[in-house]
């Protein structure tokens, strides 16, 4: 009897060993290699893993065999209704249609994003997705707050904008029928070293300044006019203002921006309006920590501090706000900030826009005379793009975006669209997956919101981390030798007992340690565990978790980057990094986001390279730059720069639209009378204009990295021939040809005549010779006889035929 039992055990061990060997040959089964001891652990291994809660299933040797792929479980005999494998799902809770117009009776119910509420049920690692549509409606109400630097250098600007309200309202009425305007000003903190604080400057900081001897005391921020549709009030307030004088060059403009953003009630921002904050200055701003120079060490609290006089009361108490705090408060209050600064400050404020979402920068003339057109251009630029942001993003959730803009082409990794017209609708696909399970009954919420919109999409997240079979639990079950709890097809043994049915006690030597070896010759439990009751119990490790049927796996032996496991963007599963959404690579170091590789024209790496790990690798010979945008020797370089030459110099061509030209053509263009073609680093380009003229320019890259274009002031055009000159030339040519022909004819006739005359002379000479030797001829004896004979001879000669 004992021998039969021994033989049956040997057969069982051999069968299980062969089964494991076959599985290893086919490839690692991530579900079975996870060594899950419960249904919940199985769900966490991989979203494709399922648990079989069937009582009689597989081998009683190990519980890990119950965790497998759904198809494998069914093939191995698990009935479908016993399989526990919840999946992620999405339900739309509120989905009102998009509006088409912003003003009128429905202006308080305008909807620019769809849907408005959804609920997600997420199983860890199982990705689900949903679509979002966004539309910028026509005739949307606009609130514009004009925030002006009133330091002494802005005096000429103040004179220029005294009638700005009326003119600006007239222009904005072309864009919206519901427009309101407000006004505020700033200088700087009225403390040293930022302002003049000596007694003689207290009431007049310009005291002793010869160019402008009178001005008002310095102030941080002063709210002068709440948003109103009575634009004449704006003009009245501007007329009252006088400039002040501060001591150092930077201004306290960021204090003013924050107060204008957070003091919603006093400024008068409407919830149902498009918010524009125009910030005009001719100098750099003070930033956070600058206040310590004046003894102000308290960080800004981000709150409104306007007193009863509508002046910023915290100017001398709190430090300047940081860029991060500004960006947060502007986004929180749906405010688009427009930096209107002089040309020398453009690059500085352009860098700020990269750190403050929803911000643009425009170049302001020295006396602000272009301010109206600047505001219109900035408004059109802002309304021509849509960008999604995520608020209250849960740490255990991954989000990835795919934008579908007006061309209908999906762009993975992109969450914004540009070059839109008012009324255009763009779509985004949002993929969501949870990295783990939070505490039980935890519900997370996050919000998706277009930058500068009041409209939001609220997303509620529930987690599917439990199995339905956990509700059917048997304590002290006979299936577990009455010393364990039966749940989801397995036994959870009481302390001191082991085994599939709690049949073993801890410390007992196993007779079949072969079942704890991965292969013959290998260590028991891979040397990282103990064999107990025919199964491996893995050791604990200070580095992480050791698991697997033979303790062959762990979650700390994967590739690292800068000492961080899987770069912090993935999870380690049995020596292999499983990257989170949006990352790839052996150590999950490479991001799949392509935003940083987009050039100004919307192409990945300007069409001259590939985006690898968020950086462009240029493949076109001669191409360089962050987005491979620079390439003087590329075949299309002249054609690309030609468009900028046409739109910048002659306001023609494909980019004639001001917005497109300003966005795509940022190179320096210099006009010259004569091109320098000797520069070996410059490429000579030319093209034929519509007037059949030739336009020439050179393209080179400066050592600073800036592209430089040198173009002729005017195209080269040939002068048309004079009609009289052409006529005279034709007549002269005909006469000349006639004269030449006559001369040739005369020459031929002359030669012919001379030839005939020579022939005649030759014949005459022969005739004389013959007369001299004629035997019939005799010398006459008398004159009469001679004459007679001569006459006779003549007659005879003339009558002779030869």
């Amino acid at each position: 009897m004992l021998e039969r039992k021994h033989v049956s055990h040997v057969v069982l061990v051999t069968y299980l060993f062969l089964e494991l060997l076959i599985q290893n040959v086919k490839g690692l089964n991530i579900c079975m290699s996870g060594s899950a001891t419960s249904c919940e652990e199985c769900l966490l291994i991989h979203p494709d893993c399922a648990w079989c809660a069937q009582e009689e299933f597989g081998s009683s040797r190990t519980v890990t065999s119950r965790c497998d792929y759904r198809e494998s479980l069914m093939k191995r005999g698990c009935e479908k209704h016993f399989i526990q494998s919840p999946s992620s799902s999405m339900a739309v809770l509120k989905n009102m249609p998009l509006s088409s117009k912003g003003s009128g009776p429905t202006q308080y119910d305008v909807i620019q994003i769809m849907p408005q509420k959804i609920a997600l049920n997420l199983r860890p690692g199982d990705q689900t997705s949903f679509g979002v549509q966004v539309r910028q409606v026509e005739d949307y109400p606009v609130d514009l707050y004009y925030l002006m630097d009133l330091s002494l250098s802005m005096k000429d600007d103040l004179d220029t904008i005294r009638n700005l309200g009326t003119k600006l309202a007239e222009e904005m009425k072309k864009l919206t029928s519901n427009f309101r305007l407000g006004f505020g000003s700033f200088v700087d903190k009225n403390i040293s070293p930022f302002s003049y604080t000596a007694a003689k400057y207290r009431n007049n900081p310009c005291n002793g300044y010869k160019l402008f001897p009178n001005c008002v005391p310095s102030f941080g921020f002063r709210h002068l006019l709440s948003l109103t549709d009575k634009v004449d009030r704006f003009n009245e307030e501007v007329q009252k203002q006088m400039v002040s004088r501060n001591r150092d060059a930077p201004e306290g403009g960021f204090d003013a921006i924050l107060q204008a953003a957070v003091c919603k009630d006093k400024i008068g921002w409407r919830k149902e309006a498009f918010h524009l904050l125009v910030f005009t200055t001719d100098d750099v701003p003070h930033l956070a920590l600058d206040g310590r120079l004046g003894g102000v060490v308290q960080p800004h609290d981000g709150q409104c501090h306007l007193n009863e006089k509508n002046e910023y009361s915290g100017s001398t108490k709190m430090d300047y706000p940081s860029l991060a705090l500004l960006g947060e408060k502007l986004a929180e209050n749906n405010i688009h900030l427009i930096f209107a600064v002089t040309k020398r400050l453009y690059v500085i404020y352009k860098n700020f826009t990269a750190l403050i979402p929803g911000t643009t920068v425009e170049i302001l003339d020295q006396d602000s005379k272009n301010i109206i057109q600047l505001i219109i251009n900035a408004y059109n630029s802002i309304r021509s793009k849509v960008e999604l942001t995520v608020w209250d993003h849960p740490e255990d959730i991954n989000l990835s975006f795919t934008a579908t803009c007006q061309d209908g082409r999906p762009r993975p990794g992109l969450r914004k669209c540009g070059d839109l017209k008012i009324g255009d609708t763009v779509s985004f696909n949002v993929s969501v997956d949870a990295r783990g399970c939070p505490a039980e009954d935890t519900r997370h919420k996050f919000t998706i919101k277009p930058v500068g919109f009041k409209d939001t999409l609220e997303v509620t997240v529930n987690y599917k981390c439990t199995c339905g079979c956990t509700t059917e639990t048997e304590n002290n079950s006979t299936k577990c030798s009455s010393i364990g709890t039966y749940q989801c097809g397995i036994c959870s043994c009481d302390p001191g007992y082991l085994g599939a049915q709690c049949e073993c006690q801890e410390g007992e030597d196993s007779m079949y340690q072969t079942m704890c070896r991965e292969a013959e010759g290998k260590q028991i439990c891979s040397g990282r565990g103990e064999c107990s009751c025919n199964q491996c119990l893995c050791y604990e490790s200070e580095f992480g978790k050791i698991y697997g049927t033979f303790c062959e796996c762990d979650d700390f032996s994967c590739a690292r980057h800068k000492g961080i496991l899987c770069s912090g963007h993935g999870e380690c599963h049995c020596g292999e990094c499983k990257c989170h959404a949006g990352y790839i690579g052996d150590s999950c170091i490479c991001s799949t986001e392509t935003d940083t590789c987009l050039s100004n024209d919307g192409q990945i790496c300007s069409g001259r390279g590939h985006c690898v790990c968020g950086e462009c690798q240029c493949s076109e010979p001669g191409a360089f730059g962050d987005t491979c945008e620079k390439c003087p020797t590329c075949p299309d370089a002249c054609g690309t720069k030609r468009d900028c030459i046409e739109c910048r110099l002659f306001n023609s061509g494909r980019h004639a639209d001001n917005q497109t030209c300003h966005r795509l053509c940022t190179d320096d263009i210099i006009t010259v009378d004569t091109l320098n073609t000797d520069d070996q680093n410059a490429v000579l380009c030319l093209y034929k204009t519509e007037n059949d003229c030739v336009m020439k320019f050179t393209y080179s890259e400066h050592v600073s990295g800036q592209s430089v274009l040198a173009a002729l002031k005017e195209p080269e055009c040939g002068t048309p021939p004079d009609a009289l000159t052409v006529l005279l030339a034709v007549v002269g040519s005909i006469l000349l040809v006639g004269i030449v022909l006559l001369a040739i004819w005369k020459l031929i006739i002359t030669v012919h005549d001379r030839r005939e005359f020579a022939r005649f002379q030759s014949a005459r000479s022969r005739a004389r010779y013959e007369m001299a030797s004629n035997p019939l001829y005799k010398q006459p004896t008398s004159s009469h006889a001679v004459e007679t004979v001569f006459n006779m001879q003549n007659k005879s000669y003339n009558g002779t035929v030869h």
Side-chain angles (χ1 to χ4, degrees), residues 736-750:
L736 180 61
V737 170
I739 292 171
V740 171
L741 292 176
L742 286 173
I744 294 173
W745 178 80
K746 181 62 177 175
L747 179 61
I748 294 173
I749 294 299
T750 302

Side-chain angles (χ1 to χ4, degrees), residues 277-474:
L277 178 57
V278 180
F279 176 83
T280 61
T281 186
D282 63 349
D283 222 316
V284 296
H286 277 296
L287 301 174
L289 301 182
D290 285 357
R292 297 191 177 191
L293 296 173
V296 180
V297 297
Q298 181 180 347
H300 206 292
D301 60 5
Q303 302 299 316
C304 177
H305 295 281
L306 290 185
N307 58 24
E308 64 278 359
K309 296 180 180 180
N310 282 332
E311 292 186 356
Y312 176 39
S313 60
S315 180
T316 60
K317 300 175 183 178
M318 287 184 290
D319 194 8
Y320 300 98
S322 65
L323 289 172
L325 181 60
L326 272 183
E328 177 186 340
K329 294 303 177 182
L330 288 170
E332 184 180 305
N333 293 284
N334 309 319
I335 295 175
H336 286 282
L337 176 61
I338 302 172
F339 287 125
V341 299
T342 51
K343 188 174 183 179
R344 70 181 181 86
L345 303 174
Y346 179 81
V347 174
I348 296 174
Y349 281 89
K350 185 67 176 176
N351 293 334
F352 288 157
T353 64
L355 303 173
I356 306 176
T359 305
T360 59
V361 58
E362 299 287 343
I363 297 177
L364 182 71
D365 288 348
Q366 290 294 337
D367 58 357
S368 297
K369 64 183 179 182
N370 69 329
I371 186 63
I372 293 180
Q373 189 58 47
L374 181 150
I375 293 172
I376 299 299
N377 291 343
Y379 174 79
N380 289 330
S381 175
I382 292 169
R383 293 277 278 165
S384 68
K385 56 190 175 185
V386 169
E387 180 177 1
L388 297 185
T389 58
V390 181
W391 288 70
D392 302 324
H393 186 176
E395 293 183 358
D396 55 357
I397 288 180
N398 292 320
L399 293 175
S400 59
F401 293 81
T402 299
T404 303
C405 304
Q406 287 305 101
D407 58 1
R409 186 177 63 183
R411 288 184 170 86
L414 198 63
R415 60 172 72 181
K416 60 183 177 182
C417 289
D419 292 331
L420 304 176
K421 290 180 283 191
I422 302 299
D424 286 347
T425 303
V426 293
S427 302
F428 300 89
N429 184 269
V430 186
S431 298
V432 188
D433 68 276
R435 294 197 293 270
C437 286
E440 192 173 351
D441 297 330
T442 298
R443 297 179 65 194
H444 283 307
K445 286 186 178 181
F446 64 92
T447 301
I448 295 178
K449 174 183 175 184
V451 175
F453 285 52
K454 71 176 181 65
D455 307 77
T456 60
L457 166 59
E458 295 182 7
V459 183
T460 303
V461 180
N462 295 308
Y463 295 87
K464 286 192 171 183
C465 295
T466 58
C467 300
C469 58
T470 55
T471 58
E472 302 173 1
T473 300
E474 298 178 18

Side-chain angles (χ1 to χ4, degrees), residues 549-571:
T549 305
F550 307 104
C551 303
E552 73 277 13
C553 294
D554 61 59
D555 60 0
F556 53 82
S557 297
C558 294
R560 297 172 183 264
H561 178 68
K562 294 183 178 180
I564 302 176
L565 190 67
C566 298
S567 305
H569 301 306
E571 307 294 337

Side-chain angles (χ1 to χ4, degrees), residues 9 67 97 117 141 160 201 228 262 279 310 370 401 404 436 508 530 552 610 679 734 741 743 781:
H9 279 297
C67 186
K117 286 185 180 181
T160 301
Y201 297 121
T228 177
V262 299
F279 176 83
N310 282 332
N370 69 329
F401 293 81
T404 303
E508 288 185 354
E530 295 180 354
E552 73 277 13
H610 306 283
D679 187 359
I734 294 173
L741 292 176
T781 57

